[in-house]
Amino acid sequence: MNKDKHYSPFQLALDSFKKSKRGGFFLRLLIFLYGAAFFADFIAPYSYQEEARQHSYAPPTKIHMIDQGRLTRPFVYAQSLSFNENHERVYREDKSQRYSLRLFVPTQKYFILGIIPSMTRLWGVDVPGKIYLFGTDSRGRDIFSRLLYGARISLSIGLIGVLISFGLGLLVGGIAGYYGGIVDNILMRLCEMFMMVPGFYLMLALRSVVPDNFNSYQVYLSIVVILSFIGWAGLARIIRGMSLTLKEREYVLAAKMLGLSDFKIIIRHILPHTLSYSIVAIMLSIPGYILGEAALSLIGLGIQDPLASWGNMLSEAMSIAHIQLHPWVLMPGFFIFMTVMSFNIVGDVLRDCFDPLLKGIKES
Amino acid sequence: MNTTLVTIKDLTVSVKDGNQKKYLIEQINFDIIQEHIVSLVGESGSGKTTTALCLGRLLSLALTIESGKIIFNGQDFLTLTEKQLQQFRGAEIGFIFQEPLYAFNPLLTIGFQIEEVLIAHSDRNRKQRQSRVLELLDMVRISDPMRVFRSYPHQLSGGMRQRAMIAQAIAASPKLIIADEPTSNLDVTLQAEIIELFQELNQKLHLAILLITHDLGLVRHLSDDLVVMKSGRIVEKGRTKDVLAMPRHSYTQELLEATH
Ligand SMILES: Nc1ncnc2c1ncn2[C@@H]1O[C@H](COP(=O)(O)OP(=O)(O)OP(=O)(O)O)[C@@H](O)[C@H]1O
Ligand SMILES: [Mg+2]
């Protein structure tokens, strides 16, 4: 071991994570997705509510590189809409109008992250051309752009929800295990009450308490709170079990001997030892929040149109006919799948890395 | 100069064993004089550690103090509230454990764990605290305080860890240090060094030390007073040299013979 550097056992476990190719790849994928969500308004060529009714259910736009046998800068053709004998939409490329793809295209003034004023977006095509990387939805809105904006909601709900429920779970579990006795009894019965009700019904029940006249941000917050409410109890029980054994450690007695307060002992000398478990559990439970939001939004109880979330975008894919005719409306599902899978794999790899630390807790 | 720091009076500790009560300590009496080193000896299971934990009021839940008094510096220790106790522990009494590897939290640096005592018991700012920690590490004769400050427990040798724990115990300048078999896990040369350190701290910082040990050589060499325990009772006590010169109780005689 390098003598000049001081590694905690925790850092050693993270180091072994960094060496894992699989974990690294999916972690990067997640960082990429979150990064894209963060800069959604700059990366997306259109805003989430910009609609073009004449382009409803347009398929992904083809990008051309070759013009009359010669390589040129990428361009797209204009799309013209007609209906076939079954009254189905047919889009044809209108070869007479072509629009080049460009970086840093000018648009109407908007605010990056809601603060930095900007008149350009990262990429786009010359006006009045349109480019729909993943096609459009029923109202002719660009699915790619809406996916990016929707990622903000869908991905952040997982993170914030997990933070709240883990904060709550760690604290309640830590306190219950540390004090034991009546405190433990009351807190654990409370947890069991939450765990007995199936999550989805609890979610619906809690959702029905939320007033109808909430604006979209309030709805967003209440969804986060609802989802965290469901998640914390299971964690609290596990942390409680760990803290029950951890409090018997000699360094906890030593910390008491030093005159540290109970709160500090729980925070500094008990909970950090559950962290290796918690981090894995966090990774593995984020998908639950993402799917929870998706489920609520899908059935119309979550994020409301025109705001985009991966869940409410999927409600366009509720009928088989739509999926057959416009398979691209399934795109949000693909992104949900990718994200959920990435979190699961990263969590799995982390668990392997933390295994030695976890064994340490169980054995003593 | 012979003021009493701690008086333990008729202290009795019991443990619930089914329906029966078992006494782990019965009616023990002894004093710790300021700046004295008091040795507490006795066979395994005689109640030495239990006595020490009483002085921190940190007995495990199964054990109860049945009766008796502990007077620390004129204050009745057994009537203090939990909050007052927290101010007491660490600030007035420091503890040194047998195995420092387990007494330090493996996830935090040594430096921080010493600093924690100062956070709890002083109003120094961050900078002052850190320079105090380095000073303490220097005081316990750690040659490379900066490195030890930033190290995690598992990165230090046993002797270093023991020194670091002594530094932690004296961080808030307590008047009494309780050391429960502080040298039994160390090799002979290290033992000698730690003993020397105890002697030095006793003189320099005017610390009283309650030394729990099995090592009669250590007792003879280091301590002013001696308390001998056997199955929860004190069988003999007095000035160390008197007791060792003329042991009255047969158990003390046996103990002496066993080590000669
Ligand atoms: N939590 C407990 N529950 C039940 N009995 C206990 C408990 N703690 C200690 N005892 C008992 O109290 C007696 C005294 O234990 P103590 O640890 O004080 O002995 P000791 O003198 O320190 O021994 P050693 O030299 O081995 O450290 C022992 O018989 C032990 O079994
Ligand atoms: Mg003992």
Side-chain angles (χ1 to χ4, degrees):
Chain A
M1 193 187 302
N2 188 338
K3 276 255 166 180
D4 298 332
K5 284 207 172 167
H6 300 274
Y7 291 104
S8 73
F10 196 67
Q11 284 164 314
L12 291 175
L14 284 185
D15 269 7
S16 77
F17 177 81
K18 279 187 198 141
K19 290 199 192 93
S20 144
K21 283 214 179 80
R22 201 162 61 107
F25 174 79
F26 284 98
L27 186 66
R28 278 194 202 99
L29 182 63
L30 284 173
I31 292 172
F32 177 78
L33 284 172
Y34 274 88
F38 193 73
F39 294 110
D41 31 23
F42 185 58
I43 301 172
Y46 308 106
S47 103
Y48 62 91
Q49 50 189 356
E50 192 171 326
E51 44 189 81
R53 290 293 170 110
Q54 71 279 18
H55 286 159
S56 90
Y57 290 124
T61 312
K62 280 203 194 77
I63 299 173
H64 300 265
M65 300 274 291
I66 292 164
D67 182 33
Q68 291 154 354
R70 295 223 329 262
L71 200 67
T72 63
R73 69 178 302 152
F75 64 90
V76 300
Y77 289 114
Q79 310 257 348
S80 67
L81 170 64
S82 57
F83 289 87
N84 66 11
E85 64 279 12
N86 295 333
H87 305 289
E88 290 163 5
R89 288 182 177 76
V90 181
Y91 281 94
R92 281 206 190 76
E93 292 186 323
D94 176 359
K95 301 262 161 133
S96 65
Q97 289 165 288
R98 40 179 286 188
Y99 308 102
S100 293
L101 240 70
R102 294 190 192 283
L103 283 176
F104 303 111
V105 293
T107 57
Q108 286 168 324
K109 184 171 177 180
Y110 70 100
F111 293 90
I112 297 178
L113 303 174
I115 26 176
I116 311 159
S118 167
M119 303 279 282
T120 54
R121 288 176 184 268
L122 180 62
W123 67 287
V125 291
D126 289 339
V127 279
K130 292 272 188 185
I131 179 160
Y132 304 120
L133 212 51
F134 295 156
T136 65
D137 63 9
S138 59
R139 298 163 69 174
R141 296 177 298 197
D142 179 30
I143 287 183
F144 176 72
S145 300
R146 282 177 64 76
L147 267 177
L148 281 166
Y149 281 97
R152 283 188 163 170
I153 287 173
S154 297
L155 294 180
S156 67
I157 274 183
L159 279 194
I160 300 174
V162 112
L163 282 184
I164 297 178
S165 76
F166 268 71
L168 210 60
L170 282 173
L171 207 63
V172 170
I175 289 173
Y178 181 80
Y179 286 108
I182 301 180
V183 180
D184 183 25
N185 253 316
I186 294 174
L187 290 176
M188 283 309 105
R189 295 302 85 75
L190 193 72
C191 285
E192 277 153 21
M193 268 165 51
F194 275 94
M195 292 173 71
M196 269 179 334
V197 189
F200 194 72
Y201 294 112
L202 184 59
M203 187 163 83
L204 292 182
L206 288 170
R207 180 64 179 88
S208 67
V209 184
V210 175
D212 291 338
N213 57 356
F214 268 19
N215 66 31
S216 37
Y217 292 101
Q218 289 164 323
V219 169
Y220 171 83
L221 282 180
S222 45
I223 291 175
V224 172
V225 171
I226 288 170
L227 293 174
S228 334
F229 242 73
I230 297 168
W232 70 275
L235 182 81
R237 282 185 62 90
I238 292 165
I239 296 297
R240 175 245 179 203
M242 290 177 137
S243 113
L244 216 53
T245 46
L246 285 167
K247 74 171 176 183
E248 301 297 333
R249 295 282 178 89
E250 193 156 290
Y251 52 74
V252 173
L253 180 66
K256 287 184 192 165
M257 291 279 201
L258 294 171
L260 301 191
S261 64
D262 290 342
F263 185 70
K264 274 188 185 160
I265 292 176
I266 293 174
I267 297 286
R268 291 213 193 108
H269 296 278
I270 291 188
L271 291 184
H273 294 266
T274 66
L275 210 61
S276 44
Y277 169 83
S278 316
I279 286 190
V280 175
I282 282 177
M283 283 296 162
L284 295 178
S285 73
I286 289 179
Y289 294 83
I290 294 175
L291 292 172
E293 179 277 320
L296 270 181
S297 300
L298 181 71
I299 56 180
L301 294 175
I303 304 298
Q304 303 293 320
D305 214 67
L307 269 186
S309 87
W310 291 356
N312 75 7
M313 289 174 74
L314 264 187
S315 57
E316 298 240 348
M318 289 253 263
S319 86
I320 293 291
H322 274 171
I323 297 177
Q324 277 171 345
L325 287 172
H326 334 288
W328 50 89
V329 294
L330 273 178
M331 216 55 191
F334 173 71
F335 274 81
I336 292 174
F337 169 74
M338 223 166 50
T339 312
V340 167
M341 184 183 65
S342 301
F343 273 114
N344 279 326
I345 290 175
V346 170
D348 242 26
V349 175
L350 270 175
R351 176 165 39 207
D352 292 344
C353 299
F354 279 127
D355 224 26
L357 273 177
L358 286 172
K359 280 210 182 98
I361 292 179
K362 281 180 202 132
E363 273 161 18
S364 48
Chain B
M1 191 64 236
N2 272 4
T3 22
T4 309
L5 182 64
V6 185
T7 304
I8 295 177
K9 227 178 150 209
D10 296 331
L11 189 69
T12 302
V13 174
S14 69
V15 64
K16 262 227 179 91
D17 185 10
N19 285 338
Q20 281 184 321
K21 248 191 226 160
K22 212 178 98 193
Y23 291 99
L24 302 184
I25 292 181
E26 270 180 278
Q27 302 275 329
I28 63 167
N29 287 287
F30 69 92
D31 291 349
I32 299 172
I33 312 287
Q34 261 176 23
E35 297 182 36
H36 273 209
I37 299 182
V38 181
S39 289
L40 183 57
V41 300
E43 62 193 2
S44 194
S46 56
K48 305 184 297 292
T49 300
T50 309
T51 308
L53 289 178
C54 281
L55 282 167
R57 289 259 314 263
L58 278 171
L59 292 173
S60 67
L61 286 176
L63 309 189
T64 37
I65 297 180
E66 287 281 318
S67 59
K69 269 195 175 138
I70 297 175
I71 313 283
F72 193 107
N73 227 357
Q75 246 179 322
D76 187 349
F77 198 62
L78 299 184
T79 60
L80 297 184
T81 63
E82 185 58 29
K83 194 106 205 129
Q84 289 170 313
L85 278 172
Q86 274 171 20
Q87 285 164 10
F88 221 86
R89 297 176 190 136
E92 305 281 331
I93 306 180
F95 284 85
I96 292 162
F97 291 82
Q98 183 174 2
E99 180 43 78
L101 183 57
Y102 302 135
F104 279 117
N105 182 339
L107 294 183
L108 298 173
T109 60
I110 296 283
F112 179 75
Q113 295 188 62
I114 299 177
E115 212 185 319
E116 254 188 326
V117 187
L118 300 174
I119 296 173
H121 298 299
S122 77
D123 35 40
R124 292 180 173 90
N125 65 29
R126 198 182 150 79
K127 240 190 163 148
Q128 291 168 325
R129 284 198 303 263
Q130 293 188 344
S131 68
R132 166 78 176 152
V133 173
L134 292 177
E135 184 188 307
L136 285 162
L137 290 173
D138 190 54
M139 215 189 284
V140 295
R141 308 215 167 280
I142 283 174
S143 54
D144 190 359
M146 205 57 217
R147 183 180 73 87
V148 172
F149 187 96
R150 281 185 278 122
S151 301
Y152 289 89
H154 68 273
Q155 293 171 316
L156 298 182
S157 67
M160 283 289 214
R161 273 197 293 264
Q162 191 59 278
R163 284 166 195 275
M165 191 158 59
I166 295 173
Q168 188 187 42
I170 62 173
S173 323
K175 298 187 186 68
L176 171 68
I177 284 217
I178 298 174
D180 194 352
E181 304 185 31
T183 58
S184 52
N185 280 358
L186 300 175
D187 67 44
V188 184
T189 34
L190 279 177
Q191 276 185 16
E193 283 174 29
I194 296 288
I195 294 311
E196 209 173 303
L197 183 59
F198 272 125
Q199 230 161 358
E200 192 184 318
L201 295 174
N202 167 243
Q203 277 151 24
K204 259 203 207 155
L205 304 177
H206 310 293
L207 275 173
I209 300 176
L210 178 64
L211 181 69
I212 297 173
T213 182
H214 287 284
D215 182 350
L216 277 185
L218 196 60
V219 172
R220 191 191 309 273
H221 182 65
L222 203 59
S223 64
D224 303 293
D225 304 307
L226 174 60
V227 177
V228 184
M229 283 184 83
K230 186 179 193 303
S231 21
R233 292 170 183 277
I234 290 180
V235 293
E236 189 150 9
K237 66 183 174 192
R239 305 288 307 194
T240 305
K241 53 179 188 305
D242 299 342
V243 175
L244 293 186
M246 212 199 291
R248 261 170 293 179
H249 196 276
S250 58
Y251 175 68
T252 321
Q253 286 163 3
E254 276 168 41
L255 211 63
L256 272 174
E257 273 157 26
T259 48
H260 272 306

mmCIF file of all heavy atoms in Angstrom, chain B residues 25-48:
data_model
loop_
_atom_site.group_PDB
_atom_site.id
_atom_site.type_symbol
_atom_site.label_atom_id
_atom_site.label_comp_id
_atom_site.label_asym_id
_atom_site.label_seq_id
_atom_site.Cartn_x
_atom_site.Cartn_y
_atom_site.Cartn_z
ATOM 1 N N ILE B 25 -19.758 -7.364 42.109
ATOM 2 C CA ILE B 25 -18.911 -6.575 43.000
ATOM 3 C C ILE B 25 -19.685 -6.429 44.293
ATOM 4 O O ILE B 25 -20.873 -6.125 44.274
ATOM 5 C CB ILE B 25 -18.647 -5.173 42.426
ATOM 6 C CG1 ILE B 25 -17.784 -5.249 41.169
ATOM 7 C CG2 ILE B 25 -17.963 -4.296 43.452
ATOM 8 C CD1 ILE B 25 -17.484 -3.895 40.610
ATOM 9 N N GLU B 26 -19.032 -6.677 45.403
ATOM 10 C CA GLU B 26 -19.741 -6.568 46.673
ATOM 11 C C GLU B 26 -19.008 -5.645 47.614
ATOM 12 O O GLU B 26 -17.869 -5.903 48.001
ATOM 13 C CB GLU B 26 -19.872 -7.961 47.297
ATOM 14 C CG GLU B 26 -21.136 -8.670 46.883
ATOM 15 C CD GLU B 26 -21.209 -10.019 47.529
ATOM 16 O OE1 GLU B 26 -20.573 -10.951 46.998
ATOM 17 O OE2 GLU B 26 -21.867 -10.145 48.559
ATOM 18 N N GLN B 27 -19.679 -4.556 47.967
ATOM 19 C CA GLN B 27 -19.209 -3.708 49.058
ATOM 20 C C GLN B 27 -17.741 -3.342 48.935
ATOM 21 O O GLN B 27 -16.980 -3.509 49.873
ATOM 22 C CB GLN B 27 -19.420 -4.445 50.392
ATOM 23 C CG GLN B 27 -20.845 -4.846 50.681
ATOM 24 C CD GLN B 27 -21.615 -3.719 51.330
ATOM 25 O OE1 GLN B 27 -21.053 -2.904 52.056
ATOM 26 N NE2 GLN B 27 -22.900 -3.648 51.065
ATOM 27 N N ILE B 28 -17.346 -2.832 47.788
ATOM 28 C CA ILE B 28 -15.930 -2.479 47.717
ATOM 29 C C ILE B 28 -15.720 -1.027 48.116
ATOM 30 O O ILE B 28 -16.550 -0.152 47.878
ATOM 31 C CB ILE B 28 -15.300 -2.760 46.336
ATOM 32 C CG1 ILE B 28 -15.942 -1.915 45.246
ATOM 33 C CG2 ILE B 28 -15.390 -4.229 45.978
ATOM 34 C CD1 ILE B 28 -15.152 -1.945 43.966
ATOM 35 N N ASN B 29 -14.603 -0.771 48.752
ATOM 36 C CA ASN B 29 -14.205 0.559 49.222
ATOM 37 C C ASN B 29 -12.765 0.802 48.835
ATOM 38 O O ASN B 29 -11.904 -0.006 49.147
ATOM 39 C CB ASN B 29 -14.259 0.622 50.759
ATOM 40 C CG ASN B 29 -15.677 0.660 51.248
ATOM 41 O OD1 ASN B 29 -16.360 1.656 51.119
ATOM 42 N ND2 ASN B 29 -16.125 -0.467 51.796
ATOM 43 N N PHE B 30 -12.509 1.874 48.118
ATOM 44 C CA PHE B 30 -11.113 2.343 48.036
ATOM 45 C C PHE B 30 -11.071 3.773 47.511
ATOM 46 O O PHE B 30 -12.054 4.286 46.969
ATOM 47 C CB PHE B 30 -10.217 1.396 47.227
ATOM 48 C CG PHE B 30 -10.487 1.348 45.738
ATOM 49 C CD1 PHE B 30 -9.800 2.188 44.859
ATOM 50 C CD2 PHE B 30 -11.396 0.447 45.216
ATOM 51 C CE1 PHE B 30 -10.026 2.129 43.494
ATOM 52 C CE2 PHE B 30 -11.622 0.385 43.846
ATOM 53 C CZ PHE B 30 -10.942 1.225 42.989
ATOM 54 N N ASP B 31 -9.957 4.420 47.741
ATOM 55 C CA ASP B 31 -9.784 5.806 47.328
ATOM 56 C C ASP B 31 -8.714 5.893 46.253
ATOM 57 O O ASP B 31 -7.818 5.069 46.189
ATOM 58 C CB ASP B 31 -9.324 6.669 48.511
ATOM 59 C CG ASP B 31 -10.416 6.829 49.548
ATOM 60 O OD1 ASP B 31 -11.565 6.454 49.247
ATOM 61 O OD2 ASP B 31 -10.106 7.306 50.652
ATOM 62 N N ILE B 32 -8.872 6.904 45.428
ATOM 63 C CA ILE B 32 -7.775 7.239 44.518
ATOM 64 C C ILE B 32 -7.318 8.632 44.908
ATOM 65 O O ILE B 32 -8.107 9.590 44.890
ATOM 66 C CB ILE B 32 -8.222 7.208 43.048
ATOM 67 C CG1 ILE B 32 -8.699 5.797 42.684
ATOM 68 C CG2 ILE B 32 -7.082 7.636 42.140
ATOM 69 C CD1 ILE B 32 -9.332 5.703 41.314
ATOM 70 N N ILE B 33 -6.063 8.725 45.311
ATOM 71 C CA ILE B 33 -5.501 10.006 45.732
ATOM 72 C C ILE B 33 -5.011 10.748 44.496
ATOM 73 O O ILE B 33 -4.553 10.130 43.538
ATOM 74 C CB ILE B 33 -4.299 9.776 46.679
ATOM 75 C CG1 ILE B 33 -4.646 8.754 47.768
ATOM 76 C CG2 ILE B 33 -3.800 11.074 47.278
ATOM 77 C CD1 ILE B 33 -5.561 9.255 48.820
ATOM 78 N N GLN B 34 -5.138 12.047 44.507
ATOM 79 C CA GLN B 34 -4.663 12.840 43.379
ATOM 80 C C GLN B 34 -3.203 12.541 43.058
ATOM 81 O O GLN B 34 -2.380 12.425 43.958
ATOM 82 C CB GLN B 34 -4.804 14.331 43.709
ATOM 83 C CG GLN B 34 -6.048 14.926 43.080
ATOM 84 C CD GLN B 34 -6.265 16.361 43.477
ATOM 85 O OE1 GLN B 34 -5.336 17.053 43.866
ATOM 86 N NE2 GLN B 34 -7.502 16.793 43.397
ATOM 87 N N GLU B 35 -2.941 12.433 41.780
ATOM 88 C CA GLU B 35 -1.589 12.204 41.269
ATOM 89 C C GLU B 35 -1.000 10.857 41.669
ATOM 90 O O GLU B 35 0.184 10.625 41.468
ATOM 91 C CB GLU B 35 -0.632 13.327 41.706
ATOM 92 C CG GLU B 35 -1.043 14.669 41.137
ATOM 93 C CD GLU B 35 -0.064 15.771 41.544
ATOM 94 O OE1 GLU B 35 1.136 15.465 41.612
ATOM 95 O OE2 GLU B 35 -0.514 16.897 41.774
ATOM 96 N N HIS B 36 -1.791 9.990 42.245
ATOM 97 C CA HIS B 36 -1.270 8.664 42.576
ATOM 98 C C HIS B 36 -1.553 7.681 41.453
ATOM 99 O O HIS B 36 -2.537 7.817 40.742
ATOM 100 C CB HIS B 36 -1.934 8.126 43.854
ATOM 101 C CG HIS B 36 -1.229 8.554 45.092
ATOM 102 N ND1 HIS B 36 -1.215 7.823 46.250
ATOM 103 C CD2 HIS B 36 -0.500 9.671 45.354
ATOM 104 C CE1 HIS B 36 -0.513 8.467 47.172
ATOM 105 N NE2 HIS B 36 -0.071 9.592 46.660
ATOM 106 N N ILE B 37 -0.662 6.713 41.347
ATOM 107 C CA ILE B 37 -0.953 5.596 40.454
ATOM 108 C C ILE B 37 -1.445 4.453 41.326
ATOM 109 O O ILE B 37 -0.738 4.015 42.233
ATOM 110 C CB ILE B 37 0.291 5.177 39.657
ATOM 111 C CG1 ILE B 37 0.768 6.340 38.782
ATOM 112 C CG2 ILE B 37 -0.024 3.956 38.791
ATOM 113 C CD1 ILE B 37 1.967 6.026 37.913
ATOM 114 N N VAL B 38 -2.667 4.026 41.064
ATOM 115 C CA VAL B 38 -3.259 2.964 41.861
ATOM 116 C C VAL B 38 -3.366 1.710 40.999
ATOM 117 O O VAL B 38 -3.949 1.753 39.910
ATOM 118 C CB VAL B 38 -4.670 3.368 42.350
ATOM 119 C CG1 VAL B 38 -5.270 2.250 43.195
ATOM 120 C CG2 VAL B 38 -4.617 4.669 43.121
ATOM 121 N N SER B 39 -2.799 0.631 41.469
ATOM 122 C CA SER B 39 -2.920 -0.624 40.719
ATOM 123 C C SER B 39 -4.098 -1.420 41.241
ATOM 124 O O SER B 39 -4.325 -1.489 42.443
ATOM 125 C CB SER B 39 -1.651 -1.465 40.879
ATOM 126 O OG SER B 39 -0.596 -0.881 40.172
ATOM 127 N N LEU B 40 -4.827 -2.003 40.304
ATOM 128 C CA LEU B 40 -5.933 -2.883 40.671
ATOM 129 C C LEU B 40 -5.603 -4.253 40.093
ATOM 130 O O LEU B 40 -5.517 -4.409 38.880
ATOM 131 C CB LEU B 40 -7.226 -2.320 40.083
ATOM 132 C CG LEU B 40 -8.534 -3.029 40.392
ATOM 133 C CD1 LEU B 40 -8.783 -3.124 41.883
ATOM 134 C CD2 LEU B 40 -9.691 -2.293 39.733
ATOM 135 N N VAL B 41 -5.346 -5.222 40.992
ATOM 136 C CA VAL B 41 -4.992 -6.550 40.496
ATOM 137 C C VAL B 41 -5.999 -7.568 40.990
ATOM 138 O O VAL B 41 -6.801 -7.300 41.888
ATOM 139 C CB VAL B 41 -3.566 -6.975 40.930
ATOM 140 C CG1 VAL B 41 -2.524 -6.022 40.405
ATOM 141 C CG2 VAL B 41 -3.477 -7.077 42.448
ATOM 142 N N GLY B 42 -5.935 -8.731 40.397
ATOM 143 C CA GLY B 42 -6.872 -9.788 40.789
ATOM 144 C C GLY B 42 -7.020 -10.760 39.649
ATOM 145 O O GLY B 42 -6.733 -10.421 38.496
ATOM 146 N N GLU B 43 -7.492 -11.951 39.963
ATOM 147 C CA GLU B 43 -7.594 -12.973 38.923
ATOM 148 C C GLU B 43 -8.676 -12.593 37.908
ATOM 149 O O GLU B 43 -9.489 -11.693 38.146
ATOM 150 C CB GLU B 43 -7.920 -14.318 39.562
ATOM 151 C CG GLU B 43 -9.256 -14.294 40.280
ATOM 152 C CD GLU B 43 -9.453 -15.506 41.166
ATOM 153 O OE1 GLU B 43 -8.537 -16.332 41.254
ATOM 154 O OE2 GLU B 43 -10.534 -15.612 41.763
ATOM 155 N N SER B 44 -8.664 -13.299 36.829
ATOM 156 C CA SER B 44 -9.633 -13.036 35.769
ATOM 157 C C SER B 44 -11.059 -13.254 36.295
ATOM 158 O O SER B 44 -11.319 -14.230 36.987
ATOM 159 C CB SER B 44 -9.354 -13.977 34.602
ATOM 160 O OG SER B 44 -10.051 -13.531 33.484
ATOM 161 N N GLY B 45 -11.940 -12.315 35.999
ATOM 162 C CA GLY B 45 -13.325 -12.446 36.455
ATOM 163 C C GLY B 45 -13.561 -11.925 37.855
ATOM 164 O O GLY B 45 -14.652 -12.058 38.397
ATOM 165 N N SER B 46 -12.561 -11.276 38.439
ATOM 166 C CA SER B 46 -12.729 -10.807 39.811
ATOM 167 C C SER B 46 -13.482 -9.479 39.884
ATOM 168 O O SER B 46 -13.802 -9.003 40.966
ATOM 169 C CB SER B 46 -11.369 -10.677 40.485
ATOM 170 O OG SER B 46 -10.537 -9.824 39.736
ATOM 171 N N GLY B 47 -13.743 -8.864 38.734
ATOM 172 C CA GLY B 47 -14.562 -7.653 38.737
ATOM 173 C C GLY B 47 -13.783 -6.376 38.522
ATOM 174 O O GLY B 47 -14.287 -5.287 38.796
ATOM 175 N N LYS B 48 -12.582 -6.471 37.982
ATOM 176 C CA LYS B 48 -11.759 -5.271 37.790
ATOM 177 C C LYS B 48 -12.351 -4.362 36.718
ATOM 178 O O LYS B 48 -12.527 -3.163 36.925
ATOM 179 C CB LYS B 48 -10.324 -5.674 37.397
ATOM 180 C CG LYS B 48 -9.670 -6.620 38.385
ATOM 181 C CD LYS B 48 -8.232 -6.929 38.021
ATOM 182 C CE LYS B 48 -8.066 -7.641 36.686
ATOM 183 N NZ LYS B 48 -8.599 -9.019 36.697
#
